[in-house]
Amino acid sequence: MTAPPARIVDLGPDDDLFPAWCEVWAAVQRDDRPEDPPRPAQEHVALGRELVAPGGSRDGLHRAAVTGDAVVGALRVLLPLRDNPAVAFLDVAVHPVHRRRGLGTRLLAEGRAYAAERGRTLFISEVDEALPSSPGRAFAERHGWTCDLVETRRDLVLPVDADRLSALEAESARAGAGYEIRTWRDRTPDELLEDRALLERRMTTDAPHGDLPVEEEEWDGERIREYERSHVARGRTVLSAGAVTADGRLVAFTDLQVPLAQPGRASQAGTLVLREHRGHRLGARVKAAVLRDLAAQFPEVRRISTYNSDSNTPMVAVNEALGFVPAGHLSSWSLRL
């Protein structure tokens, strides 16, 4: 018997079908990387509530492909509101047992139409490529998207080698003797908040972005606080370290995210040194500092994953010095109308 065609429905984070929508993503993640725990549903729920809350920096929607009572496909669209007015971020997932039925194509068309109605002409999506034969890559190529950036995922098995870490700390401390290293958790100290916003803005101009059609992002202290609140709502804690000049200016930072419900694997998020303060091994110093905090506060973390463009040779060198090893790729794709 032929299965009935799927219907496409809008979902909110508190709808009855939303847990099944989250499970589609979990099934895809288990299929792609069975050694990694999938993202908890709490993270999707928190992001969904963030999108419908007034005054935020993003808008968007969630839709599901439903057959009978089962959610078999998922779509999320994110629209920046403070910058990049032509850009829409699209994410599509189809449950592995329901692939090759045209569901992904339908959801992608839904996302494109929704974004185009809101004046968006540049679409961006990411593909986690655990293996070279990723179905996400084939899907993007089949629909005419362009691969603009490839980052290598690197994993560090913990505990980090003590001699490696001590050697890196000693070398970087000598090179950056004029800077103080400070650490914090979840909330940037008030006196560093505006500098932290500048660093986030510069992440969008100074870090490698390949050929992605993105413009500089608008960040201020309130947007940093929104970013921090969103991580707490998603059930993550964020350990941060920064380099501060003698006159109290924050000029480098790194964030390490730990999912509290599944603390076995942490994620190294953004790391940046302001261009005018490079050459003092500050990236290495802040990474070493946050690793020390992680070992003290969350010894149960057994692995850290990070993503870097291979063109970012200074950061790749720091990661390799710590013992990170390649574990696949993350590719970013765009479609221009």
Side-chain angles (χ1 to χ4, degrees):
M1 180 181 296
T2 302
R7 65 186 192 278
I8 308 298
V9 300
D10 286 341
L11 288 181
D14 298 308
D15 289 346
D16 290 343
L17 288 177
F18 202 76
W21 185 94
C22 297
E23 175 54 30
V24 170
W25 292 101
V28 169
Q29 290 179 295
R30 285 192 293 265
D31 190 64
D32 289 344
R33 293 188 179 271
E35 74 279 8
D36 290 351
R39 181 174 298 177
Q42 179 183 353
E43 294 203 10
H44 295 293
V45 171
L47 177 55
R49 289 176 178 162
E50 179 185 326
L51 295 182
V52 299
S57 60
R58 295 183 290 187
D59 194 4
L61 91 164
H62 301 78
R63 284 180 181 163
V66 182
T67 299
D69 295 326
V71 176
V72 295
L75 165 70
R76 175 166 48 217
V77 182
L78 301 177
L79 306 177
L81 296 179
R82 296 191 181 185
D83 47 55
N84 286 280
V87 172
F89 296 93
L90 275 62
D91 291 312
V92 172
V94 176
H95 195 289
V97 302
H98 294 278
R99 288 175 176 163
R100 302 194 179 280
R101 302 178 186 178
L103 295 173
T105 297
R106 285 186 63 192
L107 289 167
L108 182 62
E110 291 272 337
R112 286 182 54 178
Y114 167 82
E117 288 170 359
R118 283 149 185 80
R120 309 296 166 129
T121 57
L122 301 171
F123 305 147
I124 295 175
S125 189
E126 292 180 342
V127 175
D128 184 13
E129 300 190 52
L131 298 170
S133 57
S134 161
R137 171 174 280 271
F139 180 79
E141 291 175 338
R142 189 165 63 250
H143 287 87
W145 290 56
T146 300
C147 184
D148 292 324
L149 176 66
V150 177
E151 297 174 287
T152 299
R153 167 173 160 171
R154 290 178 171 85
D155 285 359
L156 175 65
V157 175
L158 298 178
V160 66
D161 181 86
D163 291 338
R164 278 179 180 263
L165 184 57
S166 294
L168 187 71
E169 286 175 317
E171 179 187 355
S172 60
R174 287 192 297 270
Y179 298 84
E180 176 192 0
I181 301 301
R182 294 183 59 180
T183 61
W184 60 90
R185 179 175 171 181
D186 291 333
R187 182 179 172 86
T188 305
D190 288 341
E191 67 273 17
L192 303 179
L193 185 61
E194 293 305 320
D195 287 340
R196 176 68 180 81
L198 173 63
L199 282 158
E200 200 65 47
R201 175 192 288 267
R202 294 279 286 272
M203 278 287 291
T204 62
T205 58
D206 293 6
H209 286 85
D211 295 320
L212 281 173
V214 291
E215 302 171 353
E216 183 178 60
E217 293 181 357
E218 295 288 340
W219 284 83
D220 56 17
E222 177 50 38
R223 187 167 177 182
I224 292 293
R225 293 297 187 225
E226 177 190 358
Y227 166 83
E228 293 169 340
R229 290 191 298 269
S230 73
H231 285 296
V232 172
R234 295 182 205 183
R236 304 175 187 170
T237 194
V238 181
L239 305 180
S240 302
V244 180
T245 62
D247 58 352
R249 304 306 301 267
L250 181 70
V251 297
F253 86 102
T254 191
D255 285 346
L256 188 65
Q257 301 172 2
V258 181
L260 295 175
Q262 300 171 337
R265 185 173 71 87
S267 297
Q268 183 77 58
T271 301
L272 187 74
V273 179
L274 289 180
R275 191 182 301 275
E276 52 270 34
H277 291 272
R278 292 176 182 172
H280 301 284
R281 304 301 310 277
L282 297 180
R285 286 190 74 189
V286 295
K287 282 205 165 191
V290 85
L291 282 172
R292 291 291 188 191
D293 268 11
L294 180 71
Q297 298 184 46
F298 295 95
E300 63 269 37
V301 176
R302 309 316 303 161
R303 184 181 299 270
I304 300 173
S305 296
T306 189
Y307 294 86
N308 298 110
S309 167
D310 289 345
S311 66
N312 191 354
T313 52
M315 198 56 62
V316 171
V318 170
N319 289 333
E320 290 180 342
L322 288 167
F324 281 85
V325 297
H329 295 88
L330 180 72
S331 54
S332 296
W333 300 71
S334 69
L335 182 69
R336 298 159 171 82
L337 293 186

